[in-house]
Amino acid sequence: MRRHPFREVPPTDGLPLRFADLLPGPGDLAGTLAAQLGTPAMLLTCSGTAAFMVALRTLSERDPRRREVVVPAYTCPLVAIAVHALGLRLRLCDTRAGHFDMDEAALSSVCNEQTLAVVPTHLAGLVADVDAANRIAGRVGAWVIEDAAQALGALDHGHSVGLRGDIGFFSLAAGKGLSIYEGGLLVSRDATLRDAMRRTHEAMLPYDRRWESRRSLELLGLAALYRPVGLTVAYGMPLKRRLRRGDTVAAVGDDFPARIPMHQVGTWRQGVGARAAARWPGFLAERRARAARRIDRLRRIGGLDVLQPREDSEGSWPFLLLRFPDAARCNAVLGDLWCAGVGVSRLFVHALTDYAYLADRVPRVPTPHARSFAQCTATLSNSAWLDDATFECVVQAMERALTTGETPGTSPCAPR
């Protein structure tokens, strides 16, 4: 597909900031979102990863004998980095075939009296199977932490995700929907856990002027460049360079440093987020309606599986998660579209076991379903900047790949 030289659709659908959002002034971001989502009081952290670490540290202090954290084998590498940074042990659970959810039989086999927490993960704004995690964790006395980093606004049985387990956390990072460039939220139905996490947060996250100054500048950059023209420079050009040298891990942004920044969020960024949050419910409603229309069209492509919400759940749809019949046809689509500026990308390049730089933090165990899922999935932006005509061109390119059996290499940016 021919690429428009000065227009880049973001891979995820984020809420653009306005000038008025950036004006100085107080704002209660955590309180505003808790009221919108109908949750108990939420705790604001400097990132979703920091929120996860606060949750894990809180639970490990309640039961120091338990040292293992069970996560899906297909998830963000930051999860493995966070577990390792706290001195805990990672246990991988293979996913069920063709999905990101943990396989229930596999989950039963990896949970035991050493399990501190099980982490069901809501990916692509879709709700994971928390009930299975609750059942199996309950048998061994472990807690359940819902990773809702990609699912702000998703509903599980009519309520916000993050409330069916013991603890839930969200991300406010760039591209996650509502963003203060980097931020996170922690929630729990249990008032005792909420109080304990607040104390842990105070101990783990000091105020750091340098980090907050850096994040403030990055937020200004996000406000200025999160537009189709600005994203050409900030996202599209680096993406093409990385893909041309064959570095798909860097292209997706899966190459994270070992050190997780831990600091408090400053007053100005909280105010920016709170003012933007006033537009979040309307933005989310438009995103859901747009996803429904696009899914209806994509489901007409033979051989393409568009992942759908579980029963009694509603997705938040920052992007659409697409599964192809095999890795070759997935790569054919990526080779044609990844560099075309039309919002096609990957979620995670590998299952956790296949990231070379995580070798010292991830156990080398067989996870065939997670590996296959990573190899056969791509994502499509749900941004309004992906107009209907361009969306139809994307659909037709996918149809050609699935019906003609094109092989990778149709573009200089084809993944290797």
Side-chain angles (χ1 to χ4, degrees):
M1 177 180 290
R2 186 173 180 179
R3 182 181 184 277
H4 191 292
F6 301 111
R7 182 177 177 84
E8 186 82 32
V9 175
T12 63
D13 185 26
L15 175 66
L17 293 172
R18 297 175 178 173
F19 175 76
D21 298 333
L22 305 176
L23 296 176
D28 181 7
L29 175 55
T32 298
L33 287 174
Q36 289 178 352
L37 298 174
T39 70
M42 293 202 284
L43 182 65
L44 180 66
T45 65
C46 62
S47 67
T49 309
F52 181 44
M53 292 176 70
V54 168
L56 285 176
R57 173 66 61 82
T58 301
L59 297 180
S60 65
E61 289 176 351
R62 291 168 74 92
D63 192 346
R65 298 168 300 172
R66 294 176 178 265
R67 308 299 296 167
E68 296 184 351
V69 181
V70 178
V71 308
Y74 180 81
T75 193
C76 180
L78 278 169
V79 170
I81 293 170
V83 171
H84 183 265
L86 291 172
L88 300 171
R89 293 189 298 273
L90 194 72
R91 291 293 301 272
L92 298 186
C93 178
D94 200 8
T95 60
R96 60 186 179 89
H99 206 275
F100 59 78
D101 256 337
M102 290 184 283
D103 179 82
E104 191 165 349
L107 184 58
S108 294
S109 69
V110 297
C111 289
N112 54 46
E113 66 280 356
Q114 293 295 311
T115 305
L116 175 68
V118 176
V119 188
T121 304
H122 310 294
L123 293 181
L126 299 172
V127 178
D129 187 356
V130 182
D131 288 339
N134 281 335
R135 282 194 304 272
I136 295 167
R139 292 174 197 161
V140 298
W143 283 277
V144 171
I145 301 175
E146 293 183 51
D147 180 347
Q150 297 182 4
L152 184 70
L155 300 176
D156 189 358
H157 291 77
H159 300 284
S160 171
V161 291
L163 299 176
R164 291 176 68 80
D166 298 289
I167 297 172
F169 70 92
F170 303 91
S171 173
L172 301 176
K176 290 295 198 307
L178 177 66
S179 178
I180 54 173
Y181 191 82
E182 280 286 359
L185 294 163
L186 268 170
V187 68
S188 177
R189 293 172 288 106
D190 187 321
T192 302
L193 272 178
R194 290 200 302 273
D195 290 342
M197 288 192 296
R198 190 171 300 278
R199 292 191 296 271
T200 305
H201 175 272
E202 292 172 356
M204 291 181 71
L205 280 73
Y207 182 75
D208 188 319
R209 186 181 301 275
R210 289 174 299 176
W211 266 112
E212 188 55 25
S213 296
R214 173 176 170 172
R215 293 301 189 225
S216 296
L217 289 172
E218 289 167 332
L219 180 56
L220 287 171
L222 177 67
L225 296 175
Y226 194 76
R227 303 289 188 276
V229 173
L231 285 164
T232 301
V233 176
Y235 171 72
M237 292 172 65
L239 171 71
K240 288 191 294 180
R241 285 197 302 269
R242 291 161 184 164
L243 287 176
R244 281 172 175 163
R245 67 173 185 254
D247 192 351
T248 53
V249 172
V252 172
D254 282 353
D255 52 341
F256 298 102
R259 179 176 176 269
I260 307 297
M262 303 289 282
H263 59 94
Q264 294 179 21
V265 177
T267 302
W268 177 70
R269 284 202 298 140
Q270 292 189 47
V272 171
R275 287 184 284 278
R279 303 192 302 280
W280 172 248
F283 179 81
L284 182 60
E286 292 175 3
R287 198 161 76 174
R288 284 183 171 135
R290 187 163 52 248
R293 294 192 301 271
R294 291 177 173 175
I295 290 168
D296 182 64
R297 175 66 181 93
L298 288 163
R299 291 179 70 182
R300 289 181 242 156
I301 302 176
L304 181 68
D305 179 21
V306 185
L307 270 70
Q308 298 286 297
R310 298 177 58 83
E311 187 177 357
D312 294 324
S313 75
E314 189 169 2
S316 58
W317 300 113
F319 53 88
L320 310 180
L321 188 54
L322 313 176
R323 186 169 65 89
F324 293 83
D326 50 57
R329 277 175 282 191
C330 182
N331 281 335
V333 167
L334 288 167
D336 192 27
L337 299 177
W338 204 347
C339 286
V342 294
V344 171
S345 185
R346 281 197 186 276
L347 180 49
F348 308 122
V349 175
H350 302 302
L352 285 181
T353 51
D354 294 329
Y355 289 96
Y357 80 100
L358 294 179
D360 61 333
R361 284 157 279 194
V362 175
R364 290 304 185 233
V365 295
T367 55
H369 293 320
R371 175 175 288 175
S372 175
F373 191 75
Q375 293 170 343
C376 298
T377 51
T379 62
L380 175 61
S381 176
N382 193 29
S383 172
W385 291 324
L386 178 61
D387 59 73
D388 290 345
T390 306
F391 171 72
E392 183 59 30
C393 289
V394 170
V395 169
Q396 291 175 11
M398 291 182 181
E399 286 176 326
R400 286 195 300 274
L402 286 165
T403 57
T404 65
E406 291 180 18
T407 57
T410 59
S411 161
C413 294
R416 297 182 228 170

